[in-house]
Amino acid sequence: MLLHSPRRGFQRSVPLGAFVLAVGSSGCGASRFWAPEPVTREGDRILRLWQGSTIAAICVGALVWGLIGYVVFKYRRRDDNVPAQNPYNVPVEVVYTVAPILVVAVLFAFTFGTQRKVVSTSARPDLVVEVTGFQWQWQFHYPREQITVTGTPGAVPTLVLPVGQTVRFRLQSTDVIHSFWIPRFLSKRDLIPGIDNEVQVQVKERGTWVGRCAEFCGLDHYKMSFSVRAVAPAEFRRWAAEQRSGVAAGAGDTL
C-alpha cells in the first residue's frame, strides 16, 4: 500500500505556485502578453494586433491539444485490436481544410489593416526630424527649427519630441544598414543607404525612454544608443529656442 507523501506533494506544488505567482505579479504585463506598454498611438494599434494574434494562437493550440487528448483517451487500447478504420470522413476533412484558411484570412485582414494605418503619413506633419545613422552614432536634424543634435562617442544624443503632435522621421544612413528602434514605440524601421525611408508617430505621454540600433552594423554597434524625451509642446518650443540661441550646450543636456 502506497501512502501519499506530504513532502512530495509540497515539492510538486512549489513550481506550480511559483508559476501562478509570476503570472499574477506581472499584472498588466500579462494582459499585453509581456509586450512593452506603448507610448504612441501607432504602438496602441500594434499592441492590439499582437494581443489578437496571441489569443488566436492560444485558441488554436488549445483546440489542437484538446483533439489530440480526446483521440488518445477515447481510442486507447490495452490489446492488439485495431479500431474500425474509415477511408474518408467528408465533414471532418472540410472542417480541417476550411478552418485554417479562415484563421489565416482573418489574421491577414487585421495585419493588413494595422500595417496600413501604422505606415500611413499625413501631408502636413507638426514636426519633421531627419534621422541619420552612421557608424556608430546618431544625428537628429530638425529642418524647420534649424537644430542639429549629433551624438559623440562620449555622449549619446537626445531626441526631443512634443507630446500629442504628429512627428515624421525621415531616415537615412551614410554607410551601412542601421535600424531606428525605440522599444516603447513597439516598432522599428531600417535605415538603408540610398533609400529614403519614413515613419510617423504621435507620442501620447511625457517621459524619457531609450532608443537603439536594432541592426548589427559593425564592431561598435552596441554603442549606438540614444535618449528619447517627450515633453509638452510649450516646453519643446522653449527647448528649440534655447538650442537656436546656443543657451543649451551638448546633446545630452536636460531641459
Side-chain angles (χ1 to χ4, degrees):
M1 179 177 178
L2 296 177
L3 298 177
H4 173 69
S5 171
R7 180 179 178 83
R8 179 177 300 177
F10 173 76
Q11 291 174 344
R12 290 178 178 176
S13 65
V14 168
L16 177 60
F19 173 76
V20 173
L21 179 62
V23 172
S25 62
S26 61
C28 295
S31 66
R32 299 192 305 270
F33 297 104
W34 295 275
E37 184 176 359
V39 295
T40 65
R41 303 294 182 189
E42 293 73 17
D44 288 338
R45 295 189 175 98
I46 295 173
L47 177 62
R48 287 194 293 269
L49 176 62
W50 165 250
Q51 291 172 317
S53 300
T54 304
I55 292 173
I58 292 174
C59 293
V60 171
L63 175 62
V64 171
W65 281 106
L67 292 175
I68 292 175
Y70 171 79
V71 172
V72 168
F73 285 99
K74 180 176 178 59
Y75 297 103
R76 68 188 187 280
R77 291 291 184 273
R78 299 182 183 275
D79 50 38
D80 294 333
N81 295 329
V82 179
Q85 306 293 304
N86 296 322
Y88 58 86
N89 189 319
V90 175
V92 173
E93 292 179 5
V94 170
V95 170
Y96 72 61
T97 301
V98 174
I101 295 176
L102 292 177
V103 171
V104 173
V106 172
L107 291 177
F108 175 81
F110 279 104
T111 302
F112 179 78
T114 300
Q115 177 177 305
R116 185 170 56 86
K117 293 178 181 178
V118 169
V119 303
S120 63
T121 57
S122 62
R124 302 176 66 87
D126 299 312
L127 178 68
V128 175
V129 182
E130 296 176 352
V131 179
T132 302
F134 59 93
Q135 294 177 314
W136 284 275
Q137 261 303 335
W138 299 90
Q139 182 182 86
F140 306 122
H141 176 62
Y142 302 75
R144 297 176 185 172
E145 292 75 16
Q146 298 181 353
I147 298 171
T148 300
V149 179
T150 305
T152 64
V156 298
T158 298
L159 176 63
V160 182
L161 303 174
V163 172
Q165 295 188 357
T166 302
V167 181
R168 180 179 300 174
F169 297 111
R170 293 175 179 169
L171 310 175
Q172 56 187 356
S173 171
T174 61
D175 36 52
V176 299
I177 295 178
H178 301 283
S179 189
F180 182 71
W181 180 43
I182 303 171
R184 294 292 297 274
F185 285 12
L186 295 192
S187 64
K188 66 183 183 70
R189 193 63 59 90
D190 288 345
L191 288 71
I192 304 174
I195 295 179
D196 295 329
N197 214 349
E198 293 185 339
V199 62
Q200 186 169 289
V201 301
Q202 186 180 73
V203 181
K204 62 180 184 178
E205 63 184 66
R206 300 174 62 176
T208 301
W209 310 287
V210 175
R212 295 185 176 91
C213 175
E215 185 78 25
F216 182 71
C217 54
L219 181 63
D220 289 337
H221 160 71
Y222 71 97
K223 295 181 179 180
M224 288 195 64
S225 297
F226 59 94
S227 177
V228 182
R229 185 164 60 248
V231 299
E235 199 169 356
F236 175 81
R237 291 191 294 269
R238 184 168 65 252
W239 170 83
E242 292 175 349
Q243 290 291 319
R244 284 194 298 269
S245 63
V247 173
D253 290 348
T254 58
L255 290 172

